[in-house]
Amino acid sequence: MSGASGIGPVEPGDGTHARDAPEAAVPAPPHPARRRAALLLGTAAVLLAGGGYLVATHPHRPPPPEVPYPAQTVAFSFVGGRSTPPGAPPRSFSFAVRMTVMDGPPVTVPRITQPYAGLTLTEAPPAPFRTKAGSPREITITMHVTDCGTVPKDAGLPFLDVTLRNTRAIQVQSFILGSRYAQHLSHALKVACSNS
């Protein structure tokens, strides 16, 4: 037979038997320092992931409430007429108002003014003074008429401008003190200017 083709099982060639294969190189066990470094890196990764989870799921404390603006916590009310202090110039008259701080931090009053050009005022205690919540303060206002021609004949809704300061802000607030104050002011102005 010439050119016979093989039909039988494939014969193994050189080096194809396991017993003929060269011994495979077995990797050496890792160096102890490398093993420790890998262990430390793995531990750090687990701790970081756990810490991130705790931070993300931990309930956050709400920020403390903001201190209110001073004008939101202060009230002024008219108390009544007072004797004019000794040494006050002619055409002066006095009355008292009560300042109440309802809540929040103490409030300082650096200045009290009024809107009429023909009047000046002083206060006792003299500004600046401080008032804390729960401790109303009585303030005596003395007004002096400097020009009867520029003061109102009938003060309809007279007010005081009060500068207020607390730890949050400084504000100027106009306080309308009501009809009793309007009547008192109108009467005092008529009396002060009656001899002009």
Side-chain angles (χ1 to χ4, degrees):
M1 264 183 163
S2 67
S5 60
I7 314 187
V10 177
E11 295 287 330
D14 289 338
T16 56
H17 288 288
R19 67 179 184 278
D20 297 336
E23 283 190 32
V26 177
H31 190 273
R34 284 192 199 126
R35 185 177 292 154
R36 259 187 308 228
L39 184 61
L40 285 174
L41 283 174
T43 304
V46 168
L47 287 175
L48 280 173
Y53 173 77
L54 284 176
V55 167
T57 59
H58 184 71
H60 295 287
R61 253 188 229 163
E66 268 195 290
V67 169
Y69 286 101
Q72 295 172 329
T73 67
V74 172
F76 270 78
S77 58
F78 178 70
V79 176
R82 293 291 182 262
S83 347
T84 305
R91 296 192 301 191
S92 295
F93 57 93
S94 299
F95 57 91
V97 294
R98 181 174 295 112
M99 174 186 174
T100 305
V101 178
M102 291 158 294
D103 62 359
V107 175
T108 299
V109 174
R111 188 171 182 219
I112 300 175
T113 60
Q114 55 74 44
Y116 304 115
L119 285 173
T120 62
L121 72 74
T122 57
E123 68 282 329
F129 54 84
R130 191 175 198 209
T131 303
K132 59 185 180 180
S135 300
R137 178 184 290 269
E138 191 169 292
I139 304 152
T140 300
I141 306 283
T142 298
M143 289 194 176
H144 169 61
V145 180
T146 58
D147 182 359
C148 285
T150 58
V151 296
K153 301 293 182 245
D154 286 307
L157 286 173
F159 57 89
L160 293 176
D161 286 325
V162 184
T163 304
L164 304 168
R165 183 181 74 224
N166 70 3
T167 54
R168 181 168 186 182
I170 295 178
Q171 294 178 293
V172 177
Q173 181 73 19
S174 296
F175 290 96
I176 296 173
L177 301 176
S179 59
R180 283 182 56 234
Y181 172 61
Q183 291 165 4
H184 177 81
L185 182 61
S186 295
H187 176 72
L189 291 173
K190 282 176 188 166
V191 169
C193 293
S194 60
N195 297 327
S196 298

